[in-house]
Amino acid sequence: MNFMGIDIGTTSIKTAVFDERLEQKLSLTADYTLDAHGDIVEFDAEQYWQLVKGTIETATKDHAVEALAVDTQCETLILTDEHGTPLRPAIVWLDNRATEEAELIAQHFGHQRVYEVTGQPEITATWPACKLLWVKRHEPEIFAKVKRVFLLEDWILFKMTGKFVSEKTLQSSTIYFDIHKAAWWQEMLDFIGVTRDMLPALHSSAVKIGDYCGMQVVTGAIDQIAGAIGAGVVKPGIVSVMTGTTMVLFMPATEVPPYDPTSIVPCHYNYDDKYCLLSWTPTAGMALKWFKNALCEQFSFRELDELAAAIPPGSDGLTFLPYLCGSTMPKYNPDARGCFVGLTTEHGRGHFVRAVMESVACMLKSNLDYLGLDVQEIRAMGGGANSPLWCQMQADLTGKRLITLKNKETACLGSAILAAVGVGVFESVEAATQLLKTDVTYVSSGADYTACYEKHLACDNLLNN
């Protein structure tokens, strides 16, 4: 018996098939390009479905699939008439046109009220409530025809089953979803001009909602939650770190933290009808990729690792601040920029590479310290998990056990697990994750990064204060 997980990313769709032992049988990737012009980022809604449909057809040619589930980003918005025909291109989650609408919502409700209901400490143009208000104010002729409001996962489920349904993790950052009641927030709906009949029926994750081409279709979860499930991060004390272009920390939680005006850490609804915290930084692997492309284009990443490994911890006093795209957490400063500090004639290429890598490990520690959680174990994902040197740095700096995983397609795997749970093959997500295979375990080597981390914090304070 096989299960399919479909991970719809910002510019690619990954599809993977797994058997009952959660062994991967197939993996496919389909790339696509968004229509982006400044703050406006759109994509043809029907094209999303054609891409997903095509990958399913390819994947099922040689593999019979019992059930499937889909994970997506949260905030991509699709507006249709009563028949499900799109009225305009999808407004992609990256779209930032609704800045004025975000300010109007902030002025009316205040940040504390929005957080206490939705778990979102910020009110930004990316949230669907702001996007809907923008359409109402700027495209009233289209808004008047809107009968159904889809997010991306909803849209794919509708195209597969004809059901107008959603799952609760996806709605967390709409800011019209009450995270405590797991229901729509009527006050916000009234303010943006949306009625409940325009919104889908809400389900938990791992619930069968229909069939498609002989496969059972099950509700999934947002991409970060699916990835965490695929990494086995299903209980407090274990966190995942995705070190890709950005760095994302995912932590299960049993309750919504009290409002803190100095915190911008969002709380989302989790697959288990509890909660999770997401902390992210805009630059991680991007910093090393930038350095390689700009100054070491003839070197492979493996060769950069070898250069950095020859340098002692602390990079002989060279410190890098990786804020190539500003700073988000634990300090929000979109105007922050990257820099090297402490440069002398003694520093060579290896020092620069190691300083870049150490800066990301320092960010991981500072985010864990900021969150103040009791963490025993870190599950590492993304491109950074392929570097033993980088993984060891993170274990040394945090003092935590860090584990990489055999299967790298954790979001697809997490969605496949939800599909299998939804059709009763596994009793629970937790039971399924017992089958996950880890790869390498890193523990602190005793390397002393005290001076390195203190200098990172001191430079960070100078830049962000």
Side-chain angles (χ1 to χ4, degrees), residues 54 119 131 171 217 408:
K131 290 179 166 75
Q171 301 295 334
V217 178
K408 308 304 181 185

Side-chain angles (χ1 to χ4, degrees), residues 287-462:
L288 188 61
K289 185 176 182 180
W290 158 78
F291 189 81
K292 175 186 179 299
N293 292 343
L295 300 167
C296 297
E297 62 272 21
Q298 73 275 28
F299 289 82
S300 67
F301 284 111
R302 184 180 296 276
E303 289 170 328
L304 293 183
D305 268 17
E306 292 171 356
L307 288 172
I311 306 301
S315 303
D316 288 328
L318 184 63
T319 298
F320 179 64
L321 295 180
Y323 304 130
L324 304 180
C325 301
S327 170
T328 54
M329 299 177 191
K331 294 180 180 179
Y332 180 70
N333 182 1
D335 297 323
R337 292 294 178 263
C339 61
F340 285 99
V341 179
L343 182 61
T344 73
T345 56
E346 302 300 317
H347 293 123
R349 183 181 281 116
H351 290 91
F352 285 91
V353 177
R354 188 174 186 106
V356 171
M357 298 175 77
E358 287 179 343
S359 72
V360 177
C362 285
M363 282 200 306
L364 172 59
K365 176 173 171 54
S366 66
N367 274 272
L368 288 174
D369 291 348
Y370 174 67
L371 292 164
L373 300 176
D374 182 16
V375 174
Q376 289 83 47
E377 182 177 297
I378 301 170
R379 297 286 177 102
M381 303 178 291
N386 295 323
S387 167
L389 177 64
W390 217 344
C391 289
Q392 187 61 59
M393 282 183 192
Q394 293 174 342
D396 287 335
L397 260 155
T398 63
K400 310 297 182 184
R401 182 171 64 251
L402 186 142
I403 297 176
T404 61
L405 301 144
K406 287 284 188 184
N407 190 289
K408 308 304 181 185
E409 301 292 353
T410 54
C412 289
L413 178 53
S415 289
I417 287 173
L418 290 171
V421 172
V423 297
V425 172
F426 296 111
E427 180 182 351
S428 65
V429 167
E430 291 74 18
T433 58
Q434 297 301 309
L435 295 177
L436 297 179
K437 294 181 179 179
T438 59
D439 192 9
V440 182
T441 297
Y442 298 86
V443 296
S444 177
S445 66
D448 187 3
Y449 281 90
T450 304
C452 173
Y453 186 58
E454 289 178 351
K455 187 171 182 183
H456 170 85
L457 293 179
C459 293
D460 182 79
N461 286 333
L462 285 173

Side-chain angles (χ1 to χ4, degrees), residues 174-225:
T174 59
I175 67 170
Y176 47 76
F177 176 77
D178 187 323
I179 197 172
H180 302 278
K181 298 178 181 177
W184 304 120
W185 182 17
Q186 189 62 51
E187 288 180 70
M188 182 63 74
L189 296 182
D190 292 342
F191 185 78
I192 63 177
V194 171
T195 56
R196 288 185 180 233
D197 61 354
M198 296 165 65
L199 299 172
L202 289 168
H203 293 277
S204 296
S205 298
V207 173
K208 180 189 172 183
I209 52 99
D211 298 272
Y212 175 69
C213 293
M215 296 172 285
Q216 300 181 76
V217 178
V218 176
T219 54
I222 63 171
D223 49 7
Q224 293 299 334
I225 291 176

